[in-house]
Amino acid sequence: MPERATRAGEIPPRWAWVEPTVWTARMLDTLEAGVKGGKWYSLMDKVYSEANLKSAYRQVARNKGAAGVDHVSVKRFGRNVELELAKLRNDLKDGTYVPQAIRRVLIPKPGRPGEHRPLGIPTVRDRVVQTALRNVLEPIFEVGFAEHSYGFRPQRGAKDALRRVWNLIQTGHHFVVDADLKSYFDTIPHAPLLDLVRDRVTDGKVLDLLGRFLTQEVMTEAGGWTPTLGSPQGAVISPLLANVYLDPLDHTAESKGFEMVRYADDFVILCRTEADACQALEVVRAWTAQAGLTLHPEKTRLVDLTAGGDFDFLGYNFALKRKWLSKRSFTQFREKIRGLTPRLHGGSRRVILQRVNHALRGWYEYFKQINAWMLGRLDAWVRQRLRAIEWRRSKRHGYPTDMALKLWPNSFFEREALFSLSAAHRRDVQSLHRVTPPTGEPCA
């Protein structure tokens, strides 16, 4: 049966992720059928409804996160949560709610020494309101988002984008537009962004609230300012707004027959001919220019896979015949493990292995598709780091020698239950061969 052919009051699987205190089955039917006039009115009461605010707080509490400029942590906010939510509800209802300043910090970019990414940390109360606002707005825009957009969207993610890129390469799309938007989140123009929201939402109070979030003061150790561009990375509502602003580019590429794959502000266009790739790049340049965005002049390029070219996308490096670990991802891996395994680590072996295993499992879950030889190489390097700790603790000086391999062989780490990337890969491959009949399609 078609997905929409459901019994009255039943939520279709496509919408299983929506906030049920806001979106009923009847509203979702209206959403899919198309609301009258294409615009949604009177949404503010759903934003500040008691049930939605309580759900929003639970989502914020699950995500934890640091305190904002008011130094109120999630835990502290939760001590008087009923009172705090009641105050938020009254302020939103009366139109007196004013977002507090965002605390801005610079986070080092993994694998890029000396480079930093600005991260905005709203207060907990603002995160709750933004979550409640997102609960209301996200389905309205999600229903019209392009199929090839994967970032910050429910029921899809990076693995879906990577799989599509690989499948396109396997089907003859060997000329690639590798695009990079310069400081995208910090340069989104406010007025055109709000115009796009206004195309679907006409509730003036909701639009005013969004405008307040876009222009809330940003505080650093050196002082503060009121932004005239951008939506801060770290704000709950920013990923949705970022997708809203790039959605017209998605549909422009689609209307011209280009195979575009986008994850947030990171996207590639894969073409069958060089001429198509050149045309696609010109379309992107023209669109970004009129949208007030900037393509990075050094990082945006055309790649010919048939001539030995390659490109990075979402941590992987793609070439004509292989999908590899990007150099940056390799560097990030080493930095992460180095941070967990200093030679003078004061923790017990059990604690060290627990933390290393946690990092390795999470990393493998994302990068399990890379070459088995590389996984074995990384395993060896991790064991080398752990041997250096054991060497130091056994009162030996200098760096581990060949004796370390005899004192702590691979079998030692197997007994200590060190997670092995290559062993996990072998298990996955064996399991795949047992349960998956051959289809002739590439596995990605």
Side-chain angles (χ1 to χ4, degrees):
M1 294 177 66
E3 185 179 79
R4 290 195 59 214
T6 56
R7 291 189 295 271
E10 185 176 325
I11 303 294
R14 177 187 177 186
W15 300 108
W17 55 272
V18 301
E19 174 52 49
T21 65
V22 175
W23 289 92
T24 64
R26 183 176 179 180
M27 287 177 65
L28 291 172
D29 283 342
T30 301
L31 181 67
E32 291 199 325
V35 67
K36 186 177 181 180
K39 300 177 187 290
W40 287 80
Y41 303 83
S42 303
L43 295 173
M44 194 62 187
D45 61 319
K46 295 175 175 58
V47 175
Y48 61 68
S49 75
E50 183 178 357
N52 187 23
L53 286 174
K54 285 183 177 180
S55 176
Y57 165 70
R58 289 192 294 269
Q59 293 174 61
V60 170
R62 282 197 301 270
N63 292 332
K64 300 178 181 179
V69 294
D70 61 356
H71 306 292
V72 175
S73 65
V74 173
K75 184 176 180 180
R76 181 178 164 188
F77 187 93
R79 289 174 188 155
N80 300 297
V81 65
E82 295 293 338
L83 184 64
E84 295 284 1
L85 294 182
K87 187 176 187 309
L88 284 179
R89 186 168 188 269
N90 289 334
D91 290 349
L92 289 166
K93 189 175 182 179
D94 296 341
T96 57
Y97 174 83
V98 178
Q100 294 175 278
I102 287 179
R103 180 165 68 90
R104 195 187 209 208
V105 296
L106 296 178
I107 307 297
K109 287 187 176 182
R112 295 185 181 180
E115 294 188 35
H116 294 81
R117 177 172 63 90
L119 181 67
I121 305 176
T123 60
V124 175
R125 66 190 293 273
D126 288 343
R127 298 207 294 268
V128 170
V129 174
Q130 288 192 20
T131 302
L133 183 59
R134 185 189 63 191
N135 288 347
V136 173
L137 293 181
E138 190 168 25
I140 293 174
F141 293 96
E142 178 63 31
V143 72
F145 280 158
E147 182 63 27
H148 57 246
S149 165
Y150 297 93
F152 306 118
R153 293 184 60 189
Q155 298 180 331
R156 52 179 55 209
K159 290 183 181 179
D160 301 307
L162 292 166
R163 186 179 298 110
R164 184 159 185 264
V165 168
W166 185 241
N167 286 342
L168 285 169
I169 292 174
Q170 300 305 298
T171 53
H173 296 77
H174 298 156
F175 297 88
V176 183
V177 177
D178 183 12
D180 185 278
L181 290 172
K182 190 174 182 180
S183 302
Y184 172 62
F185 278 85
D186 286 339
T187 59
I188 302 174
H190 290 172
L193 171 60
L194 290 173
D195 284 342
L196 288 172
V197 176
R198 197 174 286 110
D199 285 343
R200 308 293 289 278
V201 174
T202 61
D203 189 319
K205 292 182 179 180
V206 169
L207 293 167
D208 178 67
L209 183 59
L210 273 177
R212 292 187 185 191
F213 279 127
L214 289 173
T215 56
Q216 63 190 120
E217 187 179 11
V218 177
M219 297 294 295
T220 67
E221 293 180 357
W225 75 92
T226 300
T228 57
L229 292 171
S231 185
Q233 295 187 64
V236 175
I237 201 70
S238 288
L240 173 60
L241 296 179
N243 276 333
V244 167
Y245 199 65
L246 286 180
D247 187 56
L249 173 61
D250 295 340
H251 288 288
T252 296
E254 188 176 52
S255 68
K256 295 183 178 297
F258 298 136
E259 297 288 359
M260 179 174 170
V261 183
R262 182 172 69 81
Y263 190 93
D265 58 332
D266 195 1
F267 65 91
V268 290
I269 301 176
L270 295 96
C271 304
R272 292 186 181 275
T273 68
E274 185 174 9
D276 286 346
C278 290
Q279 182 186 359
L281 180 55
E282 288 307 310
V283 168
V284 170
R285 281 178 174 156
W287 188 91
T288 53
Q290 63 82 31
L293 302 176
T294 303
L295 285 173
H296 199 296
E298 297 174 1
K299 297 180 181 179
T300 299
R301 62 199 181 107
L302 290 178
V303 179
D304 181 357
L305 299 181
T306 64
D310 63 335
F311 65 97
D312 292 346
F313 186 62
L314 301 182
Y316 280 82
N317 177 262
F318 290 89
L320 187 61
K321 298 294 185 181
R322 62 160 175 81
K323 180 167 51 174
W324 203 254
L325 183 68
S326 72
K327 291 181 180 179
R328 183 182 175 194
S329 296
F330 180 72
T331 300
Q332 290 175 348
F333 175 88
R334 290 169 67 93
E335 287 180 356
K336 178 68 173 180
I337 299 301
R338 278 198 181 101
L340 296 173
T341 57
R343 285 197 297 161
L344 298 178
H345 199 298
S348 67
R349 180 189 300 155
R350 181 180 63 83
V351 169
I352 294 172
L353 287 176
Q354 281 180 345
R355 293 175 179 172
V356 169
N357 281 348
H358 179 75
L360 291 176
R361 287 192 179 97
W363 188 91
Y364 175 75
E365 188 58 33
Y366 186 80
F367 287 105
K368 64 173 65 176
Q369 300 173 32
I370 67 171
N371 183 280
W373 171 83
M374 174 62 78
L375 294 174
R377 178 183 171 188
L378 295 176
D379 275 336
W381 183 78
V382 172
R383 290 192 294 266
Q384 178 184 334
R385 296 287 304 177
L386 295 171
R387 287 188 185 105
I389 296 175
E390 299 293 342
W391 182 268
R392 184 79 178 187
R393 291 182 174 183
S394 63
K395 308 300 182 184
R396 291 174 170 83
H397 299 289
Y399 288 92
T401 64
D402 290 343
M403 184 184 297
L405 288 171
K406 297 179 180 179
L407 293 172
W408 303 284
N410 293 356
S411 57
F412 168 81
F413 294 107
E414 290 178 13
R415 291 194 299 273
E416 293 293 323
L418 173 65
F419 182 82
S420 168
L421 300 169
S422 53
H425 185 265
R426 285 195 297 273
R427 288 194 297 270
D428 284 347
V429 169
Q430 291 169 0
S431 175
L432 185 66
H433 287 167
R434 283 198 302 271
V435 302
T436 305
T439 64
E441 297 181 358
C443 238

